[in-house]
Amino acid sequence: MSHQLRVIPDPFEFARRGDTLQGEVDARSLPRLAESLRDLGVPQRVAYELSGSVIEGKPFLTVLASVELTLECQRCLGDLSWVVSADSRLLLVPRTEELPDDELEEDDFDPVHAWRDFDVLGAVEEELLLALPLAPTHEQCSVPVAKENGGERSPFAVLKGLKTGG
Ligand SMILES: [Zn+2]
């Protein structure tokens, strides 16, 4: 495995400098995310980028992540490719301070406690988990569906397909 920065030693400094870091990780190695995955023996590469910024004097981290995951279709239980992407802004709050109240969370960011050695992969995994669909299914499962009249299908034909298709 290539050497990549897995922690940000000082996330507040990272934000102040407007630094950016990019990396790649196999989704199967992220323990909480892996629970939702089908492991077909090939990597499910997550590309991620973290960038720091200061907005109105406050330190932020933007987390971008994108991956094509292999999930389980909740209808036919077959393998299902699913592109998940995350784009989140985190407000860095020192551990010594309280997180802002919920009532302030109409803004488009999430406050998180941060300190030294900010866990890059933990943040990427968290954002991908939030972006996961609750009950992913194929648009059309490979169960045969009756096609009649060369295209136009009446609701009754669909119903019939459902009854015989199971
Ligand atoms: Zn399916």
Side-chain angles (χ1 to χ4, degrees):
M1 177 139 274
S2 64
H3 179 75
Q4 289 186 23
L5 196 58
R6 299 305 200 199
V7 296
I8 297 176
D10 183 344
F12 297 95
E13 180 65 17
F14 185 89
R16 260 194 303 277
R17 288 198 308 248
D19 275 352
T20 295
L21 77 82
Q22 293 172 326
E24 219 182 68
V25 64
D26 186 345
R28 299 176 304 165
S29 70
L30 302 174
R32 286 183 299 151
L33 185 60
E35 288 175 15
S36 302
L37 302 180
R38 279 276 174 90
D39 188 352
L40 303 183
V42 291
Q44 301 179 34
R45 291 180 215 282
V46 181
Y48 61 84
E49 179 183 302
L50 273 68
S51 54
S53 58
V54 176
I55 300 167
E56 293 176 358
K58 292 176 178 164
F60 286 92
L61 268 189
T62 299
V63 180
L64 303 178
S66 176
V67 58
E68 185 171 346
L69 298 173
T70 305
L71 306 175
E72 181 180 82
C73 173
Q74 298 303 296
R75 193 158 45 203
C76 72
L77 306 183
D79 299 336
L80 172 63
S81 276
W82 197 280
V83 175
V84 173
S85 45
D87 178 356
S88 304
R89 206 140 50 103
L90 308 177
L91 169 63
L92 300 175
V93 181
R95 273 194 202 153
T96 48
E97 294 176 17
E98 282 188 37
L99 292 177
D101 287 342
D102 281 349
E103 59 201 62
L104 297 176
E105 285 187 19
E106 59 202 42
D107 305 287
D108 59 345
F109 59 80
D110 300 313
V112 293
H113 272 143
W115 202 239
R116 303 259 160 200
D117 294 342
F118 183 85
D119 179 4
V120 171
L121 295 183
V124 168
E125 181 177 32
E126 181 69 27
E127 296 309 320
L128 288 175
L129 283 168
L130 291 172
L132 270 188
L134 285 177
T137 59
H138 293 107
E139 214 165 286
Q140 209 165 4
C141 293
S142 49
V143 177
V145 176
K147 278 190 181 158
E148 296 169 22
N149 303 334
E152 204 180 0
R153 299 165 66 206
S154 76
F156 296 103
V158 175
L159 195 64
K160 193 178 160 201
L162 288 178
K163 282 182 179 171
T164 57

